[in-house]
Amino acid sequence: MRYSFESLIAFHQVVLTGSFSTAARKLHKSQSTISSLIANLEADSGIRIFERNAKGVSLTKEGAKLLPYVKDVLSAAENLENISSRLMEKTESSITIVLTDLYYIPNHNHILKEFEQLFPDVILECLVAEEEDVLHLILNNRASIGIIRSQTNYPDEIHSCRLSAEAELGIFVSQQHPLLQNKYTHLAQLKNYREIKYGPKILQKNIEQSNKVWSSSSYAFLIDMVELGFGWAILPTNFVELYGSKQIRQLKVNGWPQAHKLDLIWSKVNPLGVVGKWALEQLLYHEY
């Protein structure tokens, strides 16, 4: 019996989303098309795969037994596509990588030199973004690979892999700031002073928001404002070490600095080519 590959994709997506309509949106198809694909798969296999009810759809016992085999087929197809791409040496004309100011890539000079030697005609674009902006760039095919603070869940269209390195965030003030008068600072004291805040949401556990907030989407500008004594800020410690001055100090606050795990993300919908796979490998396995 031959099964439609498109039907297998639809089946897997319905399982992931629990809904025909959501699966249709994810696959950019009409709901009626998804229904037809599932109906064809049920007809071809001779079993009822889904139970339909008011709450949505759920797998039957037979459907649950079928699921791991469908996953194996889809995984094998993805591996075949990856191998075919390598065999054809389908080299992209350009690649965009989204970096983060939370993490300084070790040995980046070596990586860039090797990139130039291997792909002299490939256009390289490096963007800097954080949080939801990184996801947006990958999902909209604006970038191939991104580094992001680890998320609990990612969209179905996103591959993710944990980096061994972590980002560290600390609370900083200028050396003349009143908060430095005490050896240790309590979290409650922070709300009495202006916060210099990074635009996108950065995890800030147990900190009450100050009524006086200035913000910027540039960590470099945040450091300038902190050095000038305008307030306190949560900053990546590595960024401060690289670009800060002797005018800035890290506060001793209970629970700080905080470590944050980092992930590499890339699209399942738009597979990486030769250049993208090379870049991914460098970022994953060459953290010197």
Side-chain angles (χ1 to χ4, degrees):
M1 178 67 68
R2 293 184 177 180
Y3 300 103
S4 161
F5 188 68
E6 199 174 11
S7 294
L8 299 182
I9 294 174
F11 166 64
H12 187 236
Q13 195 61 236
V14 172
V15 172
L16 289 175
T17 60
S19 163
F20 277 45
S21 58
T22 306
R25 287 197 297 273
K26 293 285 186 181
L27 296 174
H28 306 289
K29 298 182 182 296
S30 66
Q31 185 172 339
S32 61
T33 299
I34 298 298
S35 297
S36 296
L37 288 169
I38 297 301
N40 291 338
L41 182 59
E42 290 180 325
D44 290 339
S45 64
I47 62 174
R48 188 170 181 81
I49 297 173
F50 289 109
E51 294 287 355
R52 285 79 163 172
N53 52 56
K55 295 182 179 179
V57 294
S58 59
L59 282 172
T60 62
K61 290 182 179 179
E62 293 79 8
K65 291 179 181 179
L66 188 64
L67 179 59
Y69 296 101
V70 171
K71 287 183 176 179
D72 287 344
V73 171
L74 296 178
S75 178
E78 184 177 2
N79 291 336
L80 179 61
E81 185 174 352
N82 291 337
I83 293 171
S84 298
S85 177
R86 290 179 183 178
L87 291 174
M88 293 171 60
E89 294 190 349
K90 184 181 177 182
T91 303
E92 307 93 309
S93 60
S94 65
I95 185 171
T96 298
I97 299 174
V98 189
L99 306 176
T100 171
D101 281 331
L102 300 180
Y103 173 58
Y104 182 77
I105 299 174
N107 204 36
H108 70 282
N109 291 339
H110 170 77
I111 294 174
L112 288 173
K113 286 179 181 178
E114 190 171 349
F115 180 93
E116 183 186 28
Q117 292 173 356
L118 291 173
F119 312 109
D121 299 321
V122 175
I123 298 171
L124 171 65
E125 180 184 27
C126 293
L127 305 177
V128 177
E130 311 294 343
E131 304 293 307
E132 293 88 350
D133 289 341
V134 184
L135 288 170
H136 177 80
L137 289 166
I138 300 295
L139 288 170
N140 287 277
N141 201 27
R142 176 62 182 83
S144 300
I145 301 171
I147 301 176
I148 188 173
R149 182 174 62 83
S150 182
Q151 308 289 303
T152 305
N153 296 297
Y154 289 103
D156 295 334
E157 301 92 338
I158 292 291
H159 278 301
S160 67
C161 187
R162 182 64 45 82
L163 287 171
S164 60
E166 294 184 337
E168 184 181 81
L169 294 172
I171 302 176
F172 292 85
V173 294
S174 72
Q175 63 178 5
Q176 293 84 24
H177 198 282
L179 284 169
L180 276 179
Q181 292 178 359
N182 300 319
K183 187 175 182 180
Y184 293 97
T185 302
H186 296 285
L187 290 172
Q189 293 176 269
L190 296 176
K191 67 178 181 180
N192 298 321
Y193 298 90
R194 179 183 293 114
E195 177 184 3
I196 312 297
K197 187 176 181 181
Y198 184 76
K201 296 178 181 177
I202 294 295
L203 191 63
Q204 301 183 27
K205 292 182 178 179
N206 306 318
I207 292 184
E208 293 186 36
Q209 294 295 311
S210 168
N211 292 326
K212 303 174 182 179
V213 176
W214 289 4
S215 66
S216 172
S217 59
S218 164
Y219 276 119
F221 192 59
L222 260 62
I223 287 178
D224 286 343
M225 289 193 282
V226 169
E227 288 178 344
L228 292 170
F230 291 121
W232 60 270
I234 296 174
L235 299 170
T237 56
N238 72 288
F239 198 86
V240 174
E241 290 170 3
L242 286 169
Y243 304 111
S245 72
K246 295 180 180 179
Q247 303 300 315
I248 191 170
R249 295 285 185 272
Q250 185 172 178
L251 288 176
K252 294 181 179 180
V253 183
N254 185 37
W256 291 82
Q258 292 183 350
H260 293 264
K261 297 184 183 302
L262 297 167
D263 290 341
L264 275 175
I265 62 171
W266 64 101
S267 174
K268 294 179 182 178
V269 180
N270 302 293
L272 297 174
V274 173
V275 181
K277 289 170 185 173
W278 179 89
L280 188 70
E281 183 177 349
Q282 300 305 306
L283 294 170
L284 275 176
Y285 304 117
H286 295 276
E287 300 179 70
Y288 303 119

